[in-house]
Each structure stands twice: as structure tokens, then as C-alpha cells.
Amino acid sequence: MTAPRARTRVAILISGRGSNMVSLIEAAKAPDYPAEIVLVASNRPEAGGLAHAASAGIATKALDHRAYPDRAGFDAALNAELEAAGIELVVLAGFMRILSAGFVEAWAGRMINIHPSLLPLFRGVHTHEQALAAGVRLHGCTVHYVVPELDAGPIVAQAAVPVLPGDDADSLAARILVQEHLLYPRALALIAGGLARLVDGRVVFAGDLAVADGVLISLSAQG
């Protein structure tokens, strides 16, 4: 009899309320979910998501970036916490801090992020305003591996919503956030379960999963 696959040890990094963190924690409660959330860390001690994680029985760590003399000092402290917790995969969920190239390279292939646009369109901030200004008909969110270049890593999964007449940045953001909460746990499960992996800088999937499962690109007519 084959032994069950060990669950991947995951740390989630947040800077605020952590709504995507909440969706990941809820998904990981399922006994067959392939990832275990073992640590939630924040660069802001006041981040509301820390209390939620603690109430769910997850270890938390606040590392106030303002207490460190430079970016390298903060990143070294964060890396030490991740290593001490035996983390195998780092998940950014509203972590509003640019990590140094050295940190990113140390976690290459082991760190993912969710970005509120259909990358490679609209990198950086104010993505919903960018989408409206460009007049696109589809907008959405992307789960991708983190690389030193901002929002440029290999794409794991995307979800799209239509841009509706009368949309503003707030209404568009709200509909996309719903999709983020669905997409991120499913993308994490693909990676942690070994069904999505990096090969030569691109994400490849087990068998015909990308077509059969309907996970990787989902279009919601209602948003």
C-alpha cells in the first residue's frame, strides 16, 4: 500500500486583513488538501489577518519592517523564520512589500503570488484603473511564481471576469476578489499536490489537467 503524500508546509505572508489568506486557510481544513498552512507572517504587527490566523490555530509572526535598518536585514530575519518553521512553499497574499532579489532567488520555484490582472497585462499597482483606461473587455487575476522582476514570473492559473458597462475600479475589484478567493486555493493545491511544476521556466501540468479540470482559466459571466 502506497503511503499518503506528506502535505506541503506553507507560510502565508500578509500585510493587512488577508482575505486571500482566509480562503487558503479554509481550503486547507479539508483532510485531502495537499498543503498545510503552518505559519502566517506579516511585516505589519497591526495586520488584521494575524488575529484570524491565530484563531485558526496557526502560528503567527510579526516582523515590523520599520525595526530593521534596511531591506536586507528584514529579508534575512524573515528567511530565518521561514527556515525555522520548515517551510517548503511561500504564498504571498496581500504582502505589500518588495522582496530583495536575493530573497526571491533563495526561494525560486518555491514562492507564489496572486496579482489582480491577467498578466502580462497591467503589472504593478492600480491594475483596475489601468484596465478601465485601456478599454479591455476582460480583466481578472493571475497566480504566478515570484521572480525578481515584478509580476513577471511563470503563470500557474488565471481567472477572468468581463468588464461591464458602468464599471468603476471598486466594482471591478470586488468581482475580481471573488475570483481570487476561488482561484488561489485551487492553484496552491495544484502545486502542493505535484500536479503543476516548473520546467525550464514554464509551468507544466500533469496529463490533460489544464483542459479537463477547467481550473486554470475560468470565465465568470457574472463576475
Side-chain angles (χ1 to χ4, degrees):
M1 183 175 179
T2 303
R5 179 188 176 99
R7 300 176 79 191
T8 299
R9 294 177 63 82
V10 170
I12 302 176
L13 305 187
I14 63 172
S15 292
R17 62 193 175 95
S19 69
N20 272 307
M21 174 206 73
V22 172
S23 69
L24 293 165
I25 289 174
E26 289 303 307
K29 290 180 179 178
D32 59 346
Y33 195 77
E36 178 184 10
I37 313 301
V38 299
L39 176 67
V40 171
S42 177
N43 64 312
R44 294 188 175 276
E46 69 276 13
L50 291 172
H52 182 94
S55 70
I58 297 169
T60 63
K61 187 68 179 182
L63 295 169
D64 191 341
H65 65 271
R66 295 163 291 193
Y68 295 86
D70 52 30
R71 192 174 301 277
F74 171 83
D75 286 359
L78 176 59
N79 188 69
E81 293 292 340
L82 297 173
E83 290 187 346
I87 298 304
E88 298 172 284
L89 184 64
V90 177
V91 175
L92 307 184
F95 187 66
M96 304 304 291
R97 182 171 175 82
I98 295 176
L99 294 161
S100 65
F103 183 94
V104 172
E105 288 164 359
W107 288 91
R110 299 183 295 152
M111 182 160 55
I112 60 174
N113 181 49
I114 190 162
H115 181 75
S117 82
L118 294 174
L119 291 173
L121 295 175
F122 314 131
R123 297 179 183 178
V125 298
H126 307 303
T127 59
H128 311 307
E129 290 87 347
Q130 290 186 62
L132 291 168
V136 297
R137 295 293 179 258
L138 289 176
H139 191 33
C141 53
T142 302
V143 177
H144 64 96
Y145 281 95
V146 179
V147 298
E149 184 181 351
L150 185 66
D151 301 329
I155 291 171
V156 180
Q158 294 181 303
V161 302
V163 179
L164 303 178
D167 260 336
D168 60 18
D170 290 338
S171 64
L172 194 51
R175 293 204 315 282
I176 288 171
L177 189 60
V178 172
Q179 295 302 313
E180 290 183 32
H181 293 167
L182 297 172
L183 187 69
Y184 216 179
R186 298 176 81 176
L188 175 57
L190 289 175
I191 296 169
L195 299 177
R197 56 194 179 90
L198 275 176
V199 177
D200 297 328
R202 296 181 66 87
V203 179
V204 298
F205 303 93
D208 58 355
L209 175 69
V211 174
D213 192 70
V215 169
L216 305 181
I217 301 179
S218 60
L219 175 61
S220 170
Q222 301 300 318

